[in-house]
Amino acid sequence: MEARSELDTRYSDETATARPWSEAEALLAESELFWISTVRPDGRPHVTPLPTVWSDGALHFCTGPEERKARNLALNPSVVLTTGTNTWNKGYDLVVEGEAVRVSDDARLRELAEEWERKYGSFWHFEVGDGYFQHGAGKALVFSVAPGTVFGFGKGEPFSQTRWRFDGRST
């Protein structure tokens, strides 16, 4: 995945440089917890934590069909996925903007189920069938979010803000 990278000097220390996409991609792959923001039918935001898997240039997450985020996505696929640290002066935060697309191909779902278990352990074991992840709690929809724009926030010395663009949007 090719990304145009740019440092926003308005929000960066003089010594900061734009981080390469490969570093951000590695952080997306290893981060265990993300916060997903979706939009309710009445326009109010909905935010909740969830685990993700980075695979083939996209973040993947799952949710029950009746959960609020699934119902929101049925009406508006725009999402923001955020990960990082809750510290002010160290770490790196990432904000991924994109559209959630349902993954329903059983072969692809089996690949993703293996990746989930490899990353998170047997607690996150899924069976696959009929276009869903299946487990003790029932069926789960799986979504893929290819980044449109990603923001990276370096905290500490030097503070920085990098933007990576993938599809020409100027967010």
Side-chain angles (χ1 to χ4, degrees):
M1 170 181 291
E2 279 301 311
R4 293 184 326 234
S5 158
E6 58 189 49
L7 182 74
D8 192 328
T9 57
R10 298 173 299 171
Y11 308 112
S12 302
D13 290 344
E14 289 182 9
T15 61
T17 58
R19 291 254 181 114
W21 173 243
S22 59
E23 287 182 20
E25 193 171 26
L27 288 171
L28 292 172
E30 65 191 40
S31 293
E32 293 182 357
L33 186 66
F34 285 74
W35 292 88
I36 184 170
S37 301
T38 59
V39 180
R40 296 173 193 262
D42 66 3
R44 292 180 301 131
H46 175 260
V47 181
T48 189
L50 50 67
T52 71
V53 169
W54 177 258
S55 178
D56 292 338
L59 286 170
H60 296 80
F61 66 90
C62 61
T63 185
E66 297 305 317
E67 290 187 42
R68 168 52 49 202
K69 59 188 160 293
R71 292 182 298 160
N72 291 348
L73 292 171
L75 299 173
N76 182 345
S78 296
V79 298
V80 176
L81 289 152
T82 306
T83 192
T85 61
N86 63 352
T87 58
W88 166 248
N89 206 26
K90 64 180 178 178
Y92 203 78
D93 297 335
L94 290 166
V95 177
V96 178
E97 297 178 348
E99 293 201 357
V101 176
R102 177 142 182 249
V103 179
S104 59
D105 175 72
D106 282 355
R108 179 65 178 135
L109 288 172
R110 277 189 285 281
E111 293 171 359
L112 289 168
E114 289 175 11
E115 291 186 43
W116 241 278
E117 193 162 353
R118 192 169 30 256
K119 182 174 181 180
Y120 295 104
S122 61
F123 180 82
W124 289 94
H125 174 79
F126 295 105
E127 298 296 327
V128 172
D130 299 325
Y132 294 90
F133 276 179
Q134 300 182 22
H135 52 86
K139 292 182 177 181
L141 303 167
V142 178
F143 291 91
S144 175
V145 179
T149 302
V150 177
F151 295 94
F153 301 91
K155 299 181 295 186
E157 295 299 324
F159 283 91
S160 65
Q161 182 178 316
T162 301
R163 177 186 347 210
W164 298 275
R165 293 184 184 161
F166 299 87
D167 64 358
R169 289 193 291 175
S170 59
T171 305

